Amino acid sequence: ESGEMFMRPGKLADYFPKPFANDAAAAAANNGAIPPDLSYITLARHGNEDYIYHLLNGYCDPPAGIELREGQYFNPYFPGGAIGMAPPIYNEIIEYDDGTPATQSQVAKDVVTFLTWAASPEHDMRKKMAIKAMTMLTLIAIPAYYLKRHKWSVIKSRKILYVPKVEHS
């Protein structure tokens, strides 16, 4: 027990390790810009997964009249159009074990699906719990409704008459 850090197998609940030692090293490796934390990117952007998907697939040549600085690329889905990130995905950049064609669109879809899971890994469990809760509420509501109808039927069907007292003379 000397206090030294040790390595262990990763768990699904672990955070992703940082790719850079600090912000200065990250900025130096990325043309002076600190890269964003992508763990919540699909929840943080308007359009969620669609925005990220189109951002990954949307690189193209700038239209006439738009000048880009050195190290910038044109992407109409990025606000302002000029983005400092080079196109990260190309056709056949990886090889799938099942033979799925590794098109740019397919790779972008897989990246977006992973980022969505990384943003909320409890999503599936939350949905399962919601189904269980709705099932239980339904199973409780049906007998409760029947019991309410049964117990209140006597009270609701009671006829109340007001008979004024008549004095006999």
Side-chain angles (χ1 to χ4, degrees), residues 101-158:
T103 61
Q104 181 177 352
S105 177
Q106 180 64 44
V107 174
K109 181 179 181 291
D110 292 342
V111 168
V112 168
T113 301
F114 172 75
L115 288 174
T116 302
W117 173 82
S120 60
E122 76 285 347
H123 178 267
D124 293 343
M125 186 61 68
R126 203 171 59 229
K127 296 294 182 183
K128 286 180 185 177
M129 288 301 292
I131 290 172
K132 289 177 184 177
M134 292 303 290
T135 303
M136 292 303 297
L137 284 173
T138 303
L139 292 175
I140 291 170
I142 291 170
Y145 180 72
Y146 173 77
L147 195 61
K148 177 249 182 212
R149 298 279 298 186
H150 178 71
K151 292 294 183 188
W152 282 85
S153 65
V154 175
I155 297 168
K156 288 187 132 201
S157 63
R158 183 181 301 168

Side-chain angles (χ1 to χ4, degrees), residues 8-81:
R8 64 169 174 76
K11 298 178 184 175
L12 283 177
D14 288 344
Y15 291 106
F16 287 104
K18 301 270 184 206
F20 302 102
N22 54 37
D23 287 346
N30 289 288
N31 295 330
I34 299 172
D37 178 13
L38 296 178
S39 58
Y40 294 108
I41 194 74
T42 56
L43 301 177
R45 296 288 188 251
H46 180 68
N48 301 340
E49 300 99 6
D50 293 336
Y51 170 76
I52 304 300
Y53 176 82
H54 291 301
L55 184 69
L56 292 173
N57 284 319
Y59 288 90
C60 61
D61 293 329
I66 294 185
E67 304 258 343
L68 297 175
R69 292 183 289 181
E70 185 177 339
Q72 287 191 326
Y73 303 88
F74 184 75
N75 191 321
Y77 296 100
F78 188 74

Side-chain angles (χ1 to χ4, degrees), residues 57 89-110:
N57 284 319
I89 299 176
Y90 300 96
N91 286 326
E92 306 299 325
I93 197 170
I94 63 169
E95 189 174 309
Y96 288 103
D97 291 337
D98 64 353
T100 302
T103 61
Q104 181 177 352
S105 177
Q106 180 64 44
V107 174
K109 181 179 181 291
D110 292 342

